[in-house]
Amino acid sequence: MHIYHLLKQEKDSFLTITFGTTISVIATLTLIMPYKFPDSGLTGLAVLSSYVFNISPSWLFAIGNAALLVWGWKELSPRFVILTIYGVGLFSLLLKLLEFMPAPSLDDLFLIAVFAGVIKGIGGGLVFRSGASLGGTDIVVVALRNRYGVEVGKYGFYINLAVLLISAPVIGIERTVYGLVAIYISGIAVDGVLRSFDRRRQVFVISKKYDQVKDFVINGLGRGVTLLKGEGGFTGHEQKVVMCLLTPRQTMELKRYLAMVDKNAFMVITEASEVVGKGFKSWKEL
């Protein structure tokens, strides 16, 4: 019954993980492996074993992740581990089921590396956004992100340099460099996906008509507000300050509203790279 409730509550997360995992597998099978590029983390070691021993990478990927997930259960939330088990299991299964997918016939290796990095980054970013990972060093990186706030893609890039060094004698320097390009672009794409979902604008409004502004944000934009107590440094007059977190579109609507009702209002807008709490990113996704 508990599993049934989890599936029901997290159906959107499972769908997102399924989509992100699928496109990551497709990128690996059609762009990474056919052109003998190295890959990142445990996937990279699994792909390398395929090049050297001609065995399916799904086996090493599954076995290695089993050990990491045992450690991850102690370091991360049960929700993260359960969703990651699903992602890892699906990735391993699809690696086996789709291993005969035809690769596109492309001559420009740099274009292939860029394309592979973008697709894998988007897929991995969607999985991270759902509060899971595709296993391997991602489990380690997410633990570091939760503990120290590091950016997933960039930190993972440095960890994966070791895999590239191991791959170089097998696939050659040229393809190792192209693999480095793909991994770097993938890291940028992962962070871009995460920031695009989390980004909000923090807005402060100082207006004598703060009650009207508050009502517009709550009823017109469907967002909560916080009223802060302020005091004019020059006048010494007390003044309410409206603080809220909005999307870029909602910020523009508030600008237009203020232009109509109070042209003397003062508005400050800053970027909030991540917002966690009710109405935004859930704490359970961490």
Side-chain angles (χ1 to χ4, degrees):
M1 185 64 69
H2 178 71
I3 296 178
Y4 170 76
H5 286 305
L6 176 66
L7 292 174
K8 187 175 180 180
Q9 292 173 0
E10 301 291 349
K11 61 180 180 180
D12 290 341
S13 298
F14 279 108
L15 288 174
T16 303
I17 292 169
T18 300
F19 179 69
T21 301
T22 301
I23 64 175
S24 292
V25 170
I26 290 173
T28 299
L29 292 175
T30 62
L31 297 172
I32 299 292
M33 295 183 64
Y35 296 95
K36 290 194 176 297
F37 287 167
D39 208 340
S40 59
L42 186 58
T43 308
L45 294 177
V47 168
L48 187 62
S49 71
S50 174
Y51 298 154
V52 176
F53 304 110
N54 197 29
I55 60 174
S56 174
S58 60
W59 300 112
L60 180 59
F61 184 81
I63 294 170
N65 275 299
L68 285 172
L69 285 167
V70 171
W71 171 81
W73 186 267
K74 300 176 182 178
E75 296 291 327
L76 299 165
S77 69
R79 177 186 181 273
F80 174 86
V81 175
I82 290 171
L83 292 179
T84 297
I85 289 173
Y86 172 73
V88 167
L90 182 62
F91 196 98
S92 301
L93 178 64
L94 292 178
L95 273 179
K96 190 66 179 173
L97 294 179
L98 303 178
E99 62 183 355
F100 298 110
M101 283 190 68
S105 180
L106 300 172
D107 297 324
D108 190 334
L109 292 181
F110 181 77
L111 178 62
I112 296 168
V114 171
F115 198 28
V118 170
I119 295 177
K120 285 208 70 180
I122 292 174
L126 289 172
V127 174
F128 277 127
R129 178 69 183 92
S130 300
S133 82
L134 291 177
T137 54
D138 290 347
I139 296 174
V140 179
V141 171
V142 170
L144 293 173
R145 179 183 187 235
N146 290 347
R147 191 173 292 183
Y148 303 111
V150 300
E151 290 195 344
V152 172
K154 291 179 181 177
Y155 206 91
F157 170 74
Y158 295 114
I159 292 178
N160 292 320
L161 284 177
V163 178
L164 290 175
L165 294 175
I166 296 172
S167 302
V170 177
I171 61 176
I173 297 298
E174 182 181 11
R175 277 179 164 72
T176 300
V177 172
Y178 284 123
L180 178 66
V181 171
I183 292 171
Y184 181 74
I185 292 175
S186 178
I188 293 174
V190 167
D191 290 332
V193 170
L194 294 176
R195 284 196 297 265
S196 66
F197 278 99
D198 292 336
R199 183 176 290 120
R200 293 292 186 272
R201 290 183 176 173
Q202 186 178 33
V203 179
F204 294 91
V205 177
I206 301 174
S207 171
K208 292 182 179 180
K209 299 182 179 180
Y210 66 88
D211 270 330
Q212 291 176 244
V213 175
K214 177 192 70 174
D215 291 340
F216 176 76
V217 173
I218 294 173
N219 301 316
L221 302 180
R223 287 296 181 189
V225 300
T226 298
L227 294 179
L228 307 175
K229 291 183 179 180
E231 180 179 328
F234 180 73
T235 65
H237 295 160
E238 289 188 358
Q239 175 66 56
K240 297 284 188 179
V241 179
V242 179
M243 190 276 282
C244 53
L245 291 156
L246 307 175
T247 64
R249 180 186 59 79
Q250 291 168 336
T251 304
M252 183 56 66
E253 290 184 32
L254 180 56
K255 281 183 182 179
R256 294 194 185 103
Y257 179 77
L258 289 172
M260 290 187 298
V261 301
D262 187 2
K263 290 184 172 60
N264 294 317
F266 191 77
M267 185 179 190
V268 178
I269 303 170
T270 60
E271 292 289 338
S273 62
E274 184 175 14
V275 183
V276 183
K278 186 176 180 180
F280 298 95
K281 188 177 185 179
S282 173
W283 286 104
K284 68 181 181 179
E285 294 177 6
L286 299 179

